[in-house]
Amino acid sequence: MSKYNRIGLWFAVAAMVITGLVYYFTISYILNGQVDQDLVTEEKEVLDYVKSNGRLPAVLDLENLKISFEPSVAPVKRAFRDAAFFDKRENETESGRQLTSSVVVQGKLYRFSIIESKAETDDLAWLIFEVTLMIIAVLLTGLFVLNRLVVRQLWQPFYAILSEITRFNLTDQNNISKINTRIDEFRLMNDEITSMSSRVIRDYQDLKNFTENAAHELMTPLSLVNFKMDNLVQEGLVSDRQGVLVEEIYQTLAKMKKLNKSMLMLARIENRLFDERESIDLANAMCDALKQFEELFRKRGINVSTAIGSAEIVINADVLPVLLNNLLSNAASHNCQNGKILITVSQGYMSIANTGTNKPLDAGAVFQRFYKAAGSEGTGLGLTLIKEICDTFGIILRYDFHQGLHIFELTF
């Protein structure tokens, strides 16, 4: 709205200035025409005098008018033009208007010129222009005051509605409030936005319930299948070939459980169910997370080097372990046998680098849902979950590949 007002104000200024200039030149043109009529009258008097008396009139040198004669060898084309007029009384040169013509007296050709001062007409034109400028200034002042007082008051309901939209939060479960206004357009807009917010909250609650119920219901048959597989193995009726198949089923079940948990966590984060934030000691949280992966690192022969300094991060306490576990799990699962992991933690910065494939991942797709590198056995949601957490809590996440290391950097 402010930009619109500025554009309108500048347009009004430009239009009024152009109008003033056009008005000034129009008045000047009209006044010049009036002076030219006076010159024509003087010319007629000269010609009438010559016709009546058979001789030239006396040279005239008045305060605002001068008439002069001089012999000419050829007829002079009658013409009007601007000329300088010297005022002896004021001892200064001012603008004037000149008519040049010729006359025959007793067989001799004479050129004569009539010059009239335009000082009064110019002063009148400038006076009109100054009055126009004053009118423009008054109009602009009026427009400014109108914008400040009236227009801003008229748009107050719009800003109130905008403020309600800005404060609207799905997790608060509060509808957008009604705004009292007599302006039909704003009242209609407020009614539609209020109705829309109610539908959005209802749809959000339905989606939230569906996500939680689906995840809960899916865990039940997975646990049941796992339980029955345990009973089958304990009965000792499984051959070696069947044992291999059972092991593969166990692995598939574990992957399905992990995928279900990841999708549930991703849905909760996307639905902003973890808005509570606090300052947490990142160094201690990283040390706790590393303890959970010690056995996995030892089995795969992965060498872990750490440079952990003092650092605080503002994040949800339930989400931080998920973030760190997914980063460490990604570094371990996509590593090579007897590989290495380098962990750096400092104030406002954390990076986890790991060996693995000798070529970089697609930086544009690495955080997309279900993206997996060649040969990966993961769910394809780990990095997506990490990215969603970082975006939610204002953490900048970058991927880089340098000297055979896949590096994930977090700046907060």
Side-chain angles (χ1 to χ4, degrees):
M1 184 61 188
S2 297
K3 184 176 181 180
Y4 171 79
N5 289 335
R6 287 196 299 270
I7 293 174
L9 192 60
W10 280 114
F11 177 79
V13 170
M16 289 182 178
V17 170
I18 292 173
T19 302
L21 291 174
V22 171
Y23 192 49
Y24 169 76
F25 286 113
T26 301
I27 293 297
S28 297
Y29 176 78
I30 293 173
L31 293 177
N32 276 341
Q34 184 62 48
V35 173
D36 289 346
Q37 288 295 326
D38 294 341
L39 293 175
V40 170
T41 300
E42 294 295 332
E43 178 193 28
K44 186 175 183 302
E45 291 181 359
V46 169
L47 296 177
D48 288 345
Y49 183 87
V50 171
K51 183 178 180 181
S52 300
N53 299 283
R55 60 187 175 85
L56 293 174
V59 173
L60 190 64
D61 190 356
L62 302 177
E63 181 180 344
N64 296 320
L65 182 66
K66 294 181 181 181
I67 303 177
S68 60
F69 303 90
E70 61 183 22
S72 177
V73 296
V76 178
K77 184 178 180 181
R78 184 172 180 269
F80 296 91
R81 68 182 183 89
D82 291 327
F85 183 91
F86 183 74
D87 189 344
K88 293 181 179 180
R89 186 171 60 85
E90 298 291 341
N91 195 28
E92 64 179 10
T93 301
E94 53 195 36
S95 63
R97 189 75 172 164
Q98 180 179 16
L99 168 60
T100 304
S101 186
S102 60
V103 62
V104 177
V105 181
Q106 297 180 359
K108 294 182 180 180
L109 186 62
Y110 291 90
R111 175 184 182 273
F112 70 93
S113 64
I114 307 171
I115 302 178
E116 183 175 344
S117 174
K118 290 201 314 175
E120 293 182 0
T121 58
D122 286 346
D123 291 342
L124 178 59
W126 273 110
L127 178 62
I128 294 173
F129 184 63
E130 289 172 356
V131 171
T132 304
L133 289 180
M134 290 178 61
I135 295 173
I136 290 173
V138 171
L139 289 174
L140 290 178
T141 303
L143 286 174
F144 181 78
V145 173
L146 181 66
N147 175 64
R148 286 288 181 181
L149 299 180
V150 180
V151 176
R152 187 174 293 274
Q153 185 67 27
L154 289 175
W155 280 87
Q156 191 61 39
F158 171 80
Y159 292 113
I161 296 171
L162 186 61
S163 178
E164 287 289 331
I165 295 174
T166 303
R167 292 197 301 266
F168 178 68
N169 191 335
L170 278 174
T171 57
D172 292 340
Q173 300 290 301
N174 292 326
N175 292 338
I176 293 178
S177 303
K178 291 275 189 179
I179 303 297
N180 293 324
T181 175
R182 290 177 295 177
I183 302 175
D184 294 338
E185 290 79 1
F186 292 151
R187 185 171 61 251
L188 178 60
M189 181 176 67
N190 184 233
D191 291 342
E192 291 299 325
I193 291 176
T194 303
S195 176
M196 181 188 66
S197 69
S198 300
R199 293 195 302 270
V200 168
I201 291 176
R202 185 172 61 253
D203 293 343
Y204 164 77
Q205 190 62 42
D206 292 342
L207 177 61
K208 176 184 173 184
N209 293 337
F210 171 78
T211 302
E212 293 177 349
N213 293 337
H216 176 74
E217 293 299 327
L218 188 58
M219 288 301 296
T220 301
L222 289 176
S223 299
L224 183 60
V225 171
N226 195 84
F227 174 74
K228 291 185 176 182
M229 291 299 299
D230 290 340
N231 290 339
L232 179 63
V233 172
Q234 290 173 4
E235 289 179 1
L237 302 176
V238 179
S239 64
D240 292 342
R241 172 58 182 165
Q242 292 172 336
V244 174
L245 296 176
V246 169
E247 181 65 25
E248 292 177 354
I249 293 174
Y250 272 126
Q251 292 176 358
T252 303
L253 286 173
K255 186 175 180 180
M256 290 180 66
K257 289 181 179 179
K258 183 178 179 181
L259 179 61
N260 186 56
K261 290 181 179 179
S262 296
M263 292 184 67
L264 178 60
M265 176 61 71
L266 191 59
R268 287 178 174 176
I269 292 174
E270 288 176 341
N271 291 328
R272 300 296 188 266
L273 299 182
F274 296 97
D275 276 352
E276 299 83 3
R277 306 179 185 206
E278 58 183 287
S279 182
I280 302 175
D281 189 333
L282 181 59
N284 288 338
M286 176 59 77
C287 292
D288 292 341
L290 284 171
K291 290 178 182 178
Q292 301 179 31
F293 285 86
E294 286 181 352
E295 184 64 25
L296 176 61
F297 292 154
R298 185 164 45 250
K299 285 183 177 180
R300 301 199 59 182
I302 298 175
N303 179 42
V304 180
S305 299
T306 61
I308 301 177
S310 177
E312 296 283 330
I313 185 171
V314 177
I315 198 172
N316 183 277
D318 295 326
V319 170
L320 181 57
V322 177
L323 174 65
L324 298 179
N325 289 342
N326 274 274
L327 284 169
L328 293 174
S329 175
N330 179 76
S333 60
H334 295 89
N335 216 318
C336 54
Q337 191 69 27
N338 300 321
K340 61 181 179 179
I341 296 177
L342 308 177
I343 300 174
T344 302
V345 175
S346 61
Q347 186 58 45
Y349 177 81
M350 179 176 71
S351 70
I352 297 181
N354 63 274
T355 52
T357 59
N358 291 324
K359 59 180 180 179
L361 302 176
D362 184 353
V366 66
F367 299 114
Q368 292 181 4
R369 193 167 301 197
F370 299 116
Y371 170 83
K372 294 193 293 184
S376 173
E377 297 181 357
T379 62
L381 288 178
L383 292 177
T384 303
L385 188 56
I386 293 170
K387 176 64 174 174
E388 192 66 32
I389 292 174
C390 290
D391 290 345
T392 300
F393 294 95
I395 302 171
I396 300 174
L397 175 64
R398 289 185 297 269
Y399 165 77
D400 192 15
F401 182 78
H402 183 65
Q403 294 182 350
L405 294 175
H406 299 272
I407 307 171
F408 292 90
E409 297 179 313
L410 286 77
T411 305
F412 48 90

